[in-house]
PDB file of all heavy atoms in Angstrom:
ATOM      1  N   PRO H 229     105.070  96.669 119.468  1.00  0.00           N
ATOM      2  CA  PRO H 229     105.670  95.330 119.423  1.00  0.00           C
ATOM      3  C   PRO H 229     104.736  94.206 119.848  1.00  0.00           C
ATOM      4  O   PRO H 229     104.982  93.041 119.515  1.00  0.00           O
ATOM      5  CB  PRO H 229     106.858  95.447 120.390  1.00  0.00           C
ATOM      6  CG  PRO H 229     106.476  96.557 121.320  1.00  0.00           C
ATOM      7  CD  PRO H 229     105.701  97.528 120.486  1.00  0.00           C
ATOM      8  N   GLN H 230     103.659  94.529 120.566  1.00  0.00           N
ATOM      9  CA  GLN H 230     102.745  93.492 121.043  1.00  0.00           C
ATOM     10  C   GLN H 230     101.614  93.195 120.065  1.00  0.00           C
ATOM     11  O   GLN H 230     100.790  92.320 120.331  1.00  0.00           O
ATOM     12  CB  GLN H 230     102.150  93.912 122.403  1.00  0.00           C
ATOM     13  CG  GLN H 230     103.187  94.154 123.486  1.00  0.00           C
ATOM     14  CD  GLN H 230     104.098  92.951 123.678  1.00  0.00           C
ATOM     15  OE1 GLN H 230     103.628  91.822 123.794  1.00  0.00           O
ATOM     16  NE2 GLN H 230     105.404  93.182 123.705  1.00  0.00           N
ATOM     17  N   GLU H 231     101.564  93.921 118.959  1.00  0.00           N
ATOM     18  CA  GLU H 231     100.509  93.702 117.971  1.00  0.00           C
ATOM     19  C   GLU H 231     100.944  92.610 116.993  1.00  0.00           C
ATOM     20  O   GLU H 231     101.816  92.811 116.151  1.00  0.00           O
ATOM     21  CB  GLU H 231     100.187  94.997 117.221  1.00  0.00           C
ATOM     22  CG  GLU H 231      99.489  96.040 118.069  1.00  0.00           C
ATOM     23  CD  GLU H 231      98.053  95.638 118.405  1.00  0.00           C
ATOM     24  OE1 GLU H 231      97.505  94.736 117.743  1.00  0.00           O
ATOM     25  OE2 GLU H 231      97.487  96.246 119.337  1.00  0.00           O
ATOM     26  N   ALA H 232     100.315  91.446 117.108  1.00  0.00           N
ATOM     27  CA  ALA H 232     100.724  90.292 116.313  1.00  0.00           C
ATOM     28  C   ALA H 232     100.598  90.534 114.807  1.00  0.00           C
ATOM     29  O   ALA H 232     101.435  90.093 114.019  1.00  0.00           O
ATOM     30  CB  ALA H 232      99.895  89.074 116.710  1.00  0.00           C
ATOM     31  N   ARG H 235     103.592  92.243 113.113  1.00  0.00           N
ATOM     32  CA  ARG H 235     104.675  91.302 112.809  1.00  0.00           C
ATOM     33  C   ARG H 235     104.270  90.358 111.672  1.00  0.00           C
ATOM     34  O   ARG H 235     105.105  89.966 110.849  1.00  0.00           O
ATOM     35  CB  ARG H 235     105.031  90.498 114.057  1.00  0.00           C
ATOM     36  CG  ARG H 235     105.700  91.324 115.147  1.00  0.00           C
ATOM     37  CD  ARG H 235     106.185  90.446 116.287  1.00  0.00           C
ATOM     38  NE  ARG H 235     106.751  91.226 117.361  1.00  0.00           N
ATOM     39  CZ  ARG H 235     108.023  91.628 117.416  1.00  0.00           C
ATOM     40  NH1 ARG H 235     108.846  91.314 116.424  1.00  0.00           N
ATOM     41  NH2 ARG H 235     108.467  92.330 118.439  1.00  0.00           N
ATOM     42  N   ALA H 282     107.149  83.751 114.171  1.00  0.00           N
ATOM     43  CA  ALA H 282     107.173  82.976 115.414  1.00  0.00           C
ATOM     44  C   ALA H 282     106.780  83.844 116.601  1.00  0.00           C
ATOM     45  O   ALA H 282     106.014  83.419 117.478  1.00  0.00           O
ATOM     46  CB  ALA H 282     108.566  82.378 115.624  1.00  0.00           C
ATOM     47  N   GLU H 283     107.276  85.076 116.631  1.00  0.00           N
ATOM     48  CA  GLU H 283     106.925  85.993 117.721  1.00  0.00           C
ATOM     49  C   GLU H 283     105.436  86.331 117.684  1.00  0.00           C
ATOM     50  O   GLU H 283     104.774  86.398 118.723  1.00  0.00           O
ATOM     51  CB  GLU H 283     107.760  87.266 117.612  1.00  0.00           C
ATOM     52  CG  GLU H 283     107.431  88.346 118.635  1.00  0.00           C
ATOM     53  CD  GLU H 283     107.680  87.915 120.073  1.00  0.00           C
ATOM     54  OE1 GLU H 283     108.569  87.068 120.282  1.00  0.00           O
ATOM     55  OE2 GLU H 283     106.983  88.419 120.969  1.00  0.00           O
ATOM     56  N   ALA H 284     104.902  86.533 116.481  1.00  0.00           N
ATOM     57  CA  ALA H 284     103.472  86.847 116.355  1.00  0.00           C
ATOM     58  C   ALA H 284     102.617  85.717 116.906  1.00  0.00           C
ATOM     59  O   ALA H 284     101.578  85.956 117.545  1.00  0.00           O
ATOM     60  CB  ALA H 284     103.128  87.113 114.894  1.00  0.00           C
ATOM     61  N   SER H 285     103.039  84.484 116.694  1.00  0.00           N
ATOM     62  CA  SER H 285     102.243  83.333 117.122  1.00  0.00           C
ATOM     63  C   SER H 285     102.155  83.218 118.640  1.00  0.00           C
ATOM     64  O   SER H 285     101.242  82.576 119.162  1.00  0.00           O
ATOM     65  CB  SER H 285     102.821  82.044 116.542  1.00  0.00           C
ATOM     66  OG  SER H 285     104.096  81.756 117.115  1.00  0.00           O
ATOM     67  N   THR H 286     103.083  83.853 119.356  1.00  0.00           N
ATOM     68  CA  THR H 286     103.061  83.759 120.821  1.00  0.00           C
ATOM     69  C   THR H 286     101.963  84.608 121.443  1.00  0.00           C
ATOM     70  O   THR H 286     101.666  84.456 122.628  1.00  0.00           O
ATOM     71  CB  THR H 286     104.420  84.190 121.418  1.00  0.00           C
ATOM     72  OG1 THR H 286     104.639  85.593 121.145  1.00  0.00           O
ATOM     73  CG2 THR H 286     105.559  83.383 120.833  1.00  0.00           C
ATOM     74  N   HIS H 287     101.360  85.509 120.655  1.00  0.00           N
ATOM     75  CA  HIS H 287     100.336  86.401 121.200  1.00  0.00           C
ATOM     76  C   HIS H 287      98.935  85.791 121.144  1.00  0.00           C
ATOM     77  O   HIS H 287      97.986  86.372 121.679  1.00  0.00           O
ATOM     78  CB  HIS H 287     100.352  87.738 120.461  1.00  0.00           C
ATOM     79  CG  HIS H 287     101.635  88.498 120.644  1.00  0.00           C
ATOM     80  ND1 HIS H 287     101.979  89.115 121.818  1.00  0.00           N
ATOM     81  CD2 HIS H 287     102.658  88.719 119.788  1.00  0.00           C
ATOM     82  CE1 HIS H 287     103.164  89.697 121.684  1.00  0.00           C
ATOM     83  NE2 HIS H 287     103.596  89.472 120.463  1.00  0.00           N
ATOM     84  N   GLY H 288      98.802  84.645 120.467  1.00  0.00           N
ATOM     85  CA  GLY H 288      97.527  83.934 120.469  1.00  0.00           C
ATOM     86  C   GLY H 288      96.400  84.633 119.750  1.00  0.00           C
ATOM     87  O   GLY H 288      95.232  84.391 120.037  1.00  0.00           O
ATOM     88  N   ARG H 289      96.721  85.533 118.819  1.00  0.00           N
ATOM     89  CA  ARG H 289      95.681  86.252 118.076  1.00  0.00           C
ATOM     90  C   ARG H 289      95.986  86.127 116.587  1.00  0.00           C
ATOM     91  O   ARG H 289      96.730  86.936 116.028  1.00  0.00           O
ATOM     92  CB  ARG H 289      95.623  87.731 118.493  1.00  0.00           C
ATOM     93  CG  ARG H 289      95.285  87.965 119.947  1.00  0.00           C
ATOM     94  CD  ARG H 289      95.044  89.452 120.221  1.00  0.00           C
ATOM     95  NE  ARG H 289      96.214  90.260 119.889  1.00  0.00           N
ATOM     96  CZ  ARG H 289      97.248  90.473 120.688  1.00  0.00           C
ATOM     97  NH1 ARG H 289      97.282  89.907 121.877  1.00  0.00           N
ATOM     98  NH2 ARG H 289      98.258  91.242 120.317  1.00  0.00           N
TER      99      ARG H 289
END
Side-chain angles (χ1 to χ4, degrees):
Q230 301 305 312
E231 290 290 343
R235 291 187 183 274
E283 176 62 29
S285 68
T286 65
H287 296 288
R289 298 189 301 276

